[in-house]
Amino acid sequence: MPKDNMTTVDENEFKQSILRHLKTSLGKDAGHASLYDWRMSMSLALRDCVVEPWFASTRKTYEGKHKRVYYLSMEFLIGRLIEDVTINLDLEAIAIKAMAELGQDYSKVVANEPDAALGNGGLGRLAACFMDSLATLAIPAYGYGIRYEHGLFEQHFQDGQQTETAEDWLAQRHAWEFERPEVAYNIHFGGYVSEENGKSTWHPAETVLASAYDTPVIGWQGNWANTLRLWAAKPVKIFDLESFNRGDYVAANAPERLARTISRVLYPDDTTQDGKELRLKQEYFFTSASIKDLLRRFLSEGHAIKSLPDHVAIQLNDTHPAIAGPELVRILIDKHDLDIETAIDTARRCLAYTNHTLLPEALERWPEDLFARILPRHHRIIQMIQDHHLKTTGSDILIIENGDVKMGELAFVMAHSVNGVSALHSELVKETVFADLHKAYPKRILNQTNGITPRRWLHSCNPALRDLITDTIGTGWQSDLEKLSGLNAHLDDASFQEAFRAAKVANKERLAQWLKDRNGVTLDTSAMFDIQIKRIHEYKRQHMNILETIALWNEIRDNPTGNWTPRVKIFGGKAAPGYVLAKSIIHLINDVAATINNDPVTRDFLQVVYPENYNVSMAEILIPASDLSEQISTAGKEASGTGNMKLSLNGSPTIGTLDGANVEIRDHVGAENFFLFGLTAAEAQEKRTEHGYSRRAIEVSPKLSRVLGQIAGGVFSNGDNHRYSNILHDLYEDDYFLVSCDFDGYFEKQREVDTVYQDVSRWTRMAAANTAGMGWFSSDRTIRGYADDIWGAKSVT
């Protein structure tokens, strides 16, 4: 689309649009408007600017009958949208000035916007980055997911322990969405299947309505916009008046209560049978609605059903939407009368699957009896898919086995392409979790290394560095990130280094002020800000980080006059509510922080900070301020990571293992600008074959032995020597993630970090070299790879 189709607005027009929405949409005048009113009015004025390019993009797609991409994901961690829209429409300066003239602080208005509670971690943030890049590249696309009322959870700390309360982001109106009451589909569960004259008919026992809510996703410079369509579960029968009139008020509201449960919470605890049933219903709910919706759109253009793969590409983001294969086959057989072989072939040529894990336990599987009860028709179709797979490949790998329906195997068999998300991960997928299926389908697995959008993760969140980059190499890097390599010519320039340091200091001061206002914590901004922000999990090894912190504390206490490099350890991340060990790690971090931060001997050299409720908006403050990026997962366990990319892009050298995308980051920024330690994936596998490896590693490490002894002795738990027995038992007896084996190497590498950080010019050069080397990690590059290698989709412009 030509750029002149982009909505343009001057400062006065934008200001008048805000005032118009304040009056007509919020029912307020300027003298009585709250911060919420101003934020909503500005958001609606910005949304007005998005609508025309959104409509124009839709018209262009229909007119050209262009192939569409459908990205199915349980999570879309989109964060706040005001900044996204102002940046992509080049309205930031206008918005700031307009709000100032209206007597409002733009930054406070932006901060009033709640993060949309639609995701948890990297999976959802990747989906959001991909939606940004699809729009920037003008590839027609829909994102499909669930409109969660309460998201994952809001994290709080009580006596150092994580507690969870419901997210309330929809307690206020969501300014960016358009409700589509005319777009709704019946989604069925349970019942039975009858056979008559060779045709199967599903007689469901329960039905809910999937109702659509659309959010436009505008690309860079406003040249194209796609749609994020989220489904809310609603009852087919809103209210049972008959029950109400009988006085049975609970029964009268039961249909709405049961339906809304499906779209209330992301990842309900599935340690119970009811939790498993809800999770399965959630996944089928949004997948079925999405498949029905894309078929409706496809058929409205007059295409023959067998040409579906020519017009539709469906990407499954992990195994959550793996039921898409059987659902599409079901519709093709039951509604369009295709035979099973043709239906499987047609569906497979539409479907592709992204694997995000090397942990076998993270590949979803459902008890077969539960699956057959909730989705009886799909259970039979999966049996037919399995029979077809066995017959056509000679493989002995089953989809239904030992009483389980294995969704990873189902996704693999039903996809024409299966991709990993880093070069190392894709090779390990072939060698480990899908080794046998790789033999059966040797050309199916390929790699698409993850990427991040530079619009949000540099241009928007780091204005100081953004301006320095533009002053140094010019414009255009936001849509062609490889231009950052132009910074390499300036790495040794003293004035550039000084400006780079000034940008980092400004970001650290912003973070320090934010933490002081939020948590009452005072930080020394000359100290190294050492940051680990990610979902809490054993393989990500936050516990190794805090163990090393204790060891450093011991060293400083033993020699308080030493030449120590002041350091602030900053953690961020949530643990799944049912993940006991991860929650113990959080408790330990907070207990250690309470001890170390109150130690007069060490507090000038070492602090530990753990702000609660990590989310996208917090990341946008933490990442630009980071001096050191902690990417310390056990080699062979992290699929890719994207936090590693964001931190490195913002000038934060990595301390890390050869895991996930760390390998490629190190290649691109230079080995001399990366602090490497730890076992390789192959060495980790070999180490696990040695009997008693963890206890032996602890016994030969005086530092680690001392730290674990302190934890066992209650030094950080007010004398309670049982509080962390689960962590201690895991480390001594079953240290699968090899904390004990990597600890000493990690500690020594951290002391190397200390030394280099004291050399200001050398450290600045390393940090800037990271920014200069990260151009390849744009999600634009990743999406071009998917479009060319998997989807067969083209940019309309």
Side-chain angles (χ1 to χ4, degrees):
M1 183 186 298
K3 189 174 178 179
D4 58 15
N5 277 338
M6 173 179 167
T7 299
T8 57
V9 61
D10 65 28
E11 176 194 321
N12 186 60
E13 290 172 329
F14 188 64
K15 186 167 65 174
Q16 292 306 313
S17 181
I18 293 171
L19 290 171
R20 176 173 57 83
H21 276 294
L22 188 64
K23 179 179 180 180
T24 62
S25 302
L26 278 299
K28 292 285 187 74
D29 60 29
H32 298 88
S34 66
L35 185 60
Y36 163 80
D37 297 323
W38 286 114
R39 191 253 299 170
M40 286 295 297
S41 300
M42 184 174 72
S43 298
L44 292 170
L46 287 167
R47 193 180 74 165
D48 290 349
C49 298
V50 173
V51 167
E52 184 48 45
W54 187 35
F55 285 3
S57 301
T58 302
R59 286 193 295 268
K60 188 89 169 178
T61 303
Y62 271 103
E63 288 165 3
K65 295 189 175 181
H66 296 288
K67 188 171 191 176
R68 294 179 180 88
V69 173
Y70 296 100
Y71 196 83
L72 274 62
S73 179
M74 282 288 281
E75 301 183 35
F76 286 93
L77 203 56
I78 57 177
R80 294 170 177 157
L81 292 182
I82 291 175
E83 290 168 299
D84 256 15
V85 173
T86 55
I87 289 295
N88 280 338
L89 289 178
D90 196 23
L91 290 175
E92 185 182 38
I94 287 174
I96 291 170
K97 193 169 183 182
M99 294 309 292
E101 291 185 3
L102 291 168
Q104 302 302 310
D105 184 330
Y106 173 79
S107 63
K108 290 181 179 178
V109 174
V110 169
N112 181 254
E113 182 179 12
D115 277 41
L118 299 171
N120 176 26
L123 187 80
R125 188 53 237 172
L126 181 75
C129 285
F130 280 6
M131 291 301 295
D132 178 272
S133 288
L134 283 160
T136 293
L137 297 173
I139 296 173
Y142 273 74
Y144 281 126
I146 296 178
R147 183 179 180 267
Y148 302 103
E149 289 186 52
H150 301 297
L152 185 70
F153 59 84
E154 191 170 291
Q155 180 194 54
H156 302 280
F157 296 142
Q158 184 173 349
D159 298 325
Q161 299 182 72
Q162 174 180 290
T163 61
E164 303 93 22
T165 59
E167 294 265 14
D168 62 353
W169 74 290
L170 286 178
Q172 302 174 348
R173 176 184 173 188
H174 184 47
W176 303 99
E177 68 183 7
F178 292 87
E179 186 175 2
R180 304 296 194 201
E182 76 281 8
V183 181
Y185 300 95
N186 288 327
I187 310 299
H188 306 299
F189 305 105
Y192 66 95
V193 178
S194 66
E195 305 283 343
E196 187 173 348
N197 299 323
K199 188 171 180 64
S200 299
T201 303
W202 182 15
H203 305 273
E206 181 184 349
T207 301
V208 300
L209 202 64
S211 185
Y213 290 77
D214 289 352
T215 299
V217 179
I218 192 77
W220 177 243
Q221 297 186 324
N223 293 335
W224 190 267
N226 287 318
T227 302
L228 174 60
R229 174 161 285 181
L230 302 176
W231 302 106
K234 298 182 179 181
V236 175
K237 183 179 182 181
I238 295 176
F239 186 71
D240 187 348
L241 185 60
E242 183 179 347
S243 295
F244 186 87
N245 287 335
R246 287 200 312 266
D248 193 346
Y249 306 129
V250 173
N253 288 288
E256 182 179 15
R257 186 177 66 253
L258 291 171
R260 287 180 61 190
T261 298
I262 290 175
S263 55
R264 278 192 187 276
V265 176
L266 169 65
Y267 302 143
D269 187 353
D270 61 356
T271 57
T272 66
Q273 190 71 8
D274 287 344
K276 287 183 173 66
E277 180 174 327
L278 179 56
R279 284 280 287 268
L280 177 58
K281 283 183 172 181
Q282 277 188 330
E283 294 180 5
Y284 177 67
F285 164 79
F286 100 89
T287 303
S288 176
S290 304
I291 295 296
K292 289 176 178 178
D293 193 51
L294 68 86
L295 284 172
R296 174 198 57 78
R297 191 173 299 108
F298 164 80
L299 292 169
S300 74
E301 294 181 325
H303 304 298
I305 194 67
K306 290 183 182 179
S307 70
L308 187 67
D310 298 329
H311 301 274
V312 166
I314 304 169
Q315 189 69 39
L316 310 179
N317 192 27
D318 216 339
T319 56
H320 308 123
I323 194 65
E327 174 68 353
L328 186 49
V329 170
R330 179 188 73 82
I331 294 172
L332 293 175
I333 293 174
D334 294 354
K335 305 298 183 183
H336 296 277
D337 298 320
L338 298 189
D339 61 76
I340 183 64
E341 288 81 8
T342 305
I344 290 174
D345 177 68
T346 303
R348 179 178 286 152
R349 288 189 293 126
C350 296
L351 292 161
Y353 158 53
T354 300
N355 172 271
H356 286 281
T357 184
L358 292 166
L359 301 173
E361 64 272 17
L363 291 172
E364 288 186 304
R365 54 178 64 205
W366 301 108
E368 186 180 2
D369 57 348
L370 170 67
F371 193 97
R373 177 168 58 82
I374 301 300
L375 299 171
R377 179 65 177 136
H378 300 77
H379 179 245
R380 176 61 190 132
I381 286 171
I382 291 173
Q383 291 174 330
M384 292 190 284
I385 291 170
Q386 178 173 270
D387 291 343
H388 181 268
H389 151 70
L390 297 174
K391 182 177 71 174
T392 56
T393 65
S395 169
D396 60 358
I397 297 300
L398 301 175
I399 300 170
I400 301 175
E401 186 176 31
N402 298 327
D404 285 332
V405 180
K406 302 184 292 182
M407 304 307 278
E409 283 76 1
L410 175 63
F412 192 110
V413 167
M414 280 305 301
H416 70 87
S417 175
V418 176
N419 72 280
V421 290
S422 70
L424 174 63
H425 170 241
S426 296
E427 290 307 307
L428 291 173
V429 167
K430 296 176 184 177
E431 297 170 8
T432 57
V433 289
F434 290 131
D436 292 326
L437 283 172
H438 174 56
K439 293 174 185 174
Y441 303 94
K443 297 181 179 179
R444 189 158 294 185
I445 300 174
L446 51 80
N447 180 56
Q448 297 293 343
T449 297
N450 282 343
I452 57 175
T453 170
R455 272 77 63 180
R456 182 181 283 256
W457 293 111
L458 178 51
H459 183 93
S460 176
C461 75
N462 197 340
L465 183 55
R466 169 190 76 196
D467 293 345
L468 173 60
I469 292 169
T470 299
D471 290 345
T472 305
I473 64 172
T475 60
W477 55 268
Q478 297 92 337
S479 57
D480 183 5
L481 199 61
E482 301 245 25
K483 287 186 176 181
L484 290 183
S485 62
L487 295 173
N488 284 315
H490 303 273
L491 296 181
D492 295 308
D493 181 86
S495 60
F496 173 78
Q497 285 198 7
E498 184 179 356
F500 194 93
R501 283 195 296 274
K504 182 65 71 174
V505 168
N507 288 319
K508 292 172 73 172
E509 289 175 345
R510 177 178 66 158
L511 171 58
Q513 186 62 53
W514 180 81
L515 282 168
K516 185 173 184 178
D517 294 342
R518 190 179 192 267
N519 294 68
V521 175
T522 300
L523 300 184
D524 174 10
T525 55
S526 67
M528 182 197 309
F529 282 15
D530 172 351
I531 294 184
Q532 186 175 19
I533 41 175
K534 50 187 76 242
R535 175 171 56 94
I536 308 301
H537 196 288
E538 291 164 85
Y539 86 83
K540 296 176 185 288
R541 301 201 293 191
Q542 286 92 348
H543 48 333
M544 185 167 74
N545 189 343
I546 199 62
L547 296 178
E548 189 275 336
T549 304
I550 298 170
L552 175 59
W553 177 65
N554 287 333
E555 297 281 306
I556 297 172
R557 285 183 62 83
D558 290 347
N559 182 19
T561 61
N563 184 28
W564 301 108
T565 300
R567 188 185 288 242
V568 179
K569 290 271 194 176
I570 302 175
F571 293 84
K574 300 178 180 181
Y579 192 172
V580 175
L581 191 61
K583 294 178 83 169
S584 290
I585 291 170
I586 289 175
H587 196 185
L588 177 61
I589 293 169
N590 283 321
D591 272 353
V592 171
T595 301
I596 290 177
N597 295 345
N598 288 293
D599 186 342
V601 176
T602 63
R603 63 187 173 199
D604 290 340
F605 303 110
L606 184 61
Q607 285 180 277
V608 181
V609 182
Y610 195 160
E612 62 188 18
N613 203 41
Y614 177 66
N615 58 17
V616 175
S617 295
M618 187 188 296
E620 291 173 317
I621 297 173
L622 292 173
I623 286 170
S626 175
D627 288 309
L628 183 68
S629 167
E630 296 272 355
Q631 307 300 329
I632 59 176
S633 54
T634 311
K637 294 304 174 185
E638 183 73 82
S640 169
T642 53
N644 48 5
M645 300 172 191
K646 294 162 194 166
L647 286 154
S648 184
L649 178 64
N650 281 272
S652 183
T654 300
I655 182 169
T657 55
L658 287 177
D659 195 29
N662 288 358
V663 178
E664 290 151 282
I665 289 173
R666 184 170 178 262
D667 289 342
H668 282 267
V669 305
E672 70 278 12
N673 300 309
F674 187 108
F675 295 97
L676 177 67
F677 77 95
L679 300 170
T680 65
E683 290 168 344
Q685 279 288 88
E686 178 64 27
K687 179 61 69 175
R688 293 188 187 98
T689 66
E690 299 177 11
H691 178 70
Y693 61 87
S694 57
R695 184 173 291 274
R696 185 163 56 253
I698 293 168
E699 289 171 350
V700 300
S701 171
K703 290 182 177 64
L704 182 56
S705 295
R706 180 181 179 186
V707 167
L708 297 182
Q710 289 170 305
I711 294 171
V715 170
F716 308 103
S717 51
N718 294 319
D720 181 354
N721 54 14
H722 298 293
R723 182 176 296 177
Y724 298 111
S725 57
N726 57 343
I727 295 176
L728 295 169
H729 180 271
D730 180 80
L731 291 173
Y732 274 100
E733 306 299 338
D734 185 28
D735 183 19
Y736 181 80
F737 297 106
L738 302 170
V739 168
S740 57
C741 300
D742 275 346
F743 177 85
D744 281 350
Y746 177 53
F747 183 89
E748 293 307 319
K749 187 58 64 172
Q750 288 282 26
R751 305 293 72 77
E752 181 184 329
V753 170
D754 287 337
T755 300
V756 177
Y757 189 77
Q758 292 183 5
D759 185 337
V760 175
S761 178
R762 182 182 173 191
W763 185 272
T764 304
R765 192 187 193 285
M766 287 183 69
N770 269 263
T771 298
M774 287 299 292
W776 189 76
F777 294 92
S778 170
S779 51
D780 297 349
R781 184 266 314 155
T782 310
I783 289 299
R784 287 191 186 99
Y786 276 92
D788 293 342
D789 301 339
I790 297 175
W791 301 330
K794 303 293 183 184
S795 170
V796 173
T797 59

